[in-house]
Amino acid sequence: MADSGAADGTSGRAGRLTARQAIAAVTGGAPGTFTELPAPRRESAPGGPLGWKGYDEQRARAVELTGEDESVVCGLARIGGGQAVLISFEFGFLGGSLGEATGDRLEVAYTHAREARLPVVSLIATGGSRMQEGIRALLQLQRVARQSALNRSAGLPQLAVVRDPTAGGGWATLGAGADVVLALPGAQIGFAGSRVRPADADPYAYTAEAQLAAGHIDGIVAEGDLRAAVARWLTLLTGASTEPAPPPVGLGHTGLPGSGWDAVGQARSPLRPRAAAYLNAYFSGSEPVNGDRCGGTDPGMLCGFGRRDGRTVAYAAQCGTPTLPAGYRTAARLIRLADRLSIPVLTLVDTPGAANDAEAERTGAGAAIADCFAAMATVRVPVTTLLIGEGGSGGALALSAPGNTWATPDSYFSVIAPEAAASILKRPPEEIRATADQLRLRPQDLLELGAVRGVVPSLFS
């Protein structure tokens, strides 16, 4: 571990932010925006817990090189209009590695955050556990994981900014374990550091860009935009509310359908407004949550947090395509995060159904849909659902709020699509239209049957 940079305290690649520079990047660096927390004192035997020859000299060189006396700086920061506990790693100090003294400081930071009811922002650049302290250093990962879990249970948000490089236990605890993960462009990120990867490993897989594509981080932010981005996220993640999100108004230009097949045609029209239009009209600003943290993303499922009328609402929105297993897992992650932070949720339902090809089965369609149903069934914060287009079977129902689902005039909800229903019932194609009527899938039918709470008015009606 600690293999991503030189373990003797050299700073590595030119241009990497120091711990203090990273702090200034998110606070602005003005006097009074950062106050360091007192560091616990730890008496260390010569050579550390392992009696490692030369370790004391290595630490002394790291202090001289960086001006820091450990690999992490922790304190209280003013970011935007809010306050947070800020953790910043100094990669120049023994590769930003985690030792026992690092664990001491991190525990103090997390504990202070719980006592003061503050979010934690981690600015990470580390090679992992400190080899010179052996298993005693490795055990710090359990310590950090416990502190993170305690803050999660307390309903306090954790935001990570992953710098270059971030590897090993630092990535697997403070980084990947955060609620929202941002990264600097081109940052090296991965559990395996550069010196312990397989010789034939694809170097792109260990970059911020690859981690974003695989759904392991939520966004890439340039250094110059970091302060504003972190401030926006802190505003969103600390916006607890007990009031349900009001359903959006309809954006379509059509009235209620005359027949079941008319309802299907209106919902499938390429001119019908989609999720992006509804989200843009509903929120004054928003930030996306990306990926299922299992290696998957679904461009047909938009998830994130937005601001409306001065408060935060989480959203999970289908975009009219068959929803992939990664989409359901991402939505479930979003719903559980919102629940933990006491933020109301808005879901937009629009899918012909869950993806049902062989790849969807291989990547766990059933389990992903089941998990989304479970998240919706157990969430404690209010959830509002608006059916904005197609509502195809369980793939749509998994994202629908029991007792608080609304519909637009250009939508339908059905146990299955009329074409599939006719096929299952062994009816000829000319009976598809009649089958649509029998299914009673129009918005007004759904209201009469108790499947929706109401049909929202259209902005253009």
Side-chain angles (χ1 to χ4, degrees):
M1 307 286 271
D3 64 284
S4 293
D8 63 357
T10 56
S11 59
R13 193 173 70 192
R16 286 176 176 152
L17 296 175
T18 67
R20 305 284 173 173
Q21 288 170 339
I23 291 170
V26 298
T27 64
T33 56
F34 180 76
T35 303
E36 198 165 343
L37 289 169
R41 302 294 300 176
R42 173 181 285 269
E43 296 298 326
S44 179
L50 303 186
W52 189 283
K53 185 177 180 179
Y55 181 36
D56 295 336
E57 292 75 15
Q58 290 176 331
R59 284 184 56 89
R61 286 199 301 271
V63 171
E64 182 180 2
L65 175 70
T66 65
E68 309 292 348
D69 58 0
E70 195 38 77
S71 61
V72 70
V73 178
C74 304
L76 295 176
R78 175 68 59 179
I79 304 172
Q83 196 174 41
V85 169
L86 194 58
I87 296 168
S88 187
F89 278 77
E90 176 53 67
F91 189 78
F93 194 102
L94 300 178
S97 56
L98 283 79
E100 288 186 302
T102 319
D104 292 342
R105 296 188 182 200
L106 293 174
E107 183 170 311
V108 166
Y110 277 101
T111 301
H112 187 89
R114 288 195 300 276
E115 292 172 348
R117 302 293 303 170
L118 292 174
V120 172
V121 177
S122 299
L123 313 176
I124 311 168
T126 174
S129 300
R130 191 169 299 168
M131 289 178 293
Q132 296 92 332
E133 295 187 20
I135 191 64
R136 294 279 286 273
L138 188 66
L139 292 174
Q140 302 310 304
L141 304 184
Q142 293 178 328
R143 191 178 180 189
V144 173
R146 180 176 185 274
Q147 291 300 316
S148 177
L150 289 172
N151 285 48
R152 188 176 298 113
S153 296
L156 299 171
Q158 298 174 60
L159 173 66
V161 177
V162 186
R163 296 150 51 206
D164 183 61
T166 295
W171 166 235
T173 52
L174 291 101
D179 298 319
V180 173
V181 186
L182 307 177
L184 293 180
Q188 298 178 66
I189 306 170
F191 186 67
S194 60
R195 298 181 186 176
V196 296
R197 298 169 191 162
D200 60 349
D202 177 8
Y204 177 75
Y206 302 87
T207 63
E209 289 73 16
Q211 297 285 359
L212 180 68
H216 298 310
I217 67 175
D218 296 295
I220 296 175
V221 182
E223 181 185 331
D225 299 328
L226 205 52
R227 182 184 179 191
V230 171
R232 287 195 303 273
W233 268 113
L234 289 180
T235 298
L236 290 167
L237 296 178
T238 55
S241 173
T242 59
E243 292 297 316
V249 297
L251 299 180
H253 292 264
T254 59
L256 289 172
S259 69
W261 191 245
D262 290 339
V264 173
Q266 289 183 179
R268 292 178 179 175
S269 170
L271 302 179
R272 175 182 55 79
R274 306 289 164 149
Y278 276 91
L279 295 174
N280 288 337
Y282 193 79
F283 292 118
S284 58
S286 64
E287 293 290 335
V289 163
N290 173 68
D292 63 1
R293 298 299 188 261
C294 300
T297 61
D298 181 359
M301 178 74 79
L302 304 178
C303 294
F305 294 84
R307 294 290 284 179
R308 177 180 172 84
D309 297 333
R311 67 192 187 107
T312 301
V313 175
Y315 63 86
Q318 292 169 316
C319 298
T321 57
T323 303
L324 304 178
Y328 291 111
R329 285 191 288 264
T330 304
R333 178 170 79 89
L334 180 281
I335 291 163
R336 291 191 173 106
L337 174 56
D339 191 36
R340 198 163 66 241
L341 301 179
S342 299
I343 293 171
V345 178
L346 170 70
T347 64
L348 301 180
V349 170
D350 183 11
T351 180
N356 59 6
D357 57 6
E359 180 62 20
E361 294 300 332
R362 278 193 293 268
T363 53
I369 296 168
D371 190 47
C372 195
F373 268 118
M376 291 289 285
T378 57
V379 65
R380 296 162 297 179
V381 295
V383 181
T384 303
T385 297
L386 181 63
L387 174 66
I388 65 170
E390 292 194 81
S393 195
L397 190 65
L399 215 62
S400 302
N404 198 27
T405 292
W406 303 72
T408 62
D410 50 357
S411 66
Y412 80 87
F413 216 147
S414 178
V415 63
I416 200 166
E419 298 92 336
S423 175
I424 291 170
L425 296 171
K426 300 181 179 180
R427 293 179 176 179
E430 55 267 24
E431 293 188 27
I432 291 174
R433 291 172 180 263
T435 302
D437 286 333
Q438 285 183 289
L439 288 169
R440 298 197 63 193
L441 46 70
R442 301 176 303 168
Q444 59 266 47
D445 296 325
L446 300 175
L447 180 59
E448 184 178 338
L449 293 168
V452 300
R453 185 172 172 182
V455 180
V456 299
S458 173
L459 186 64
F460 303 101
S461 60

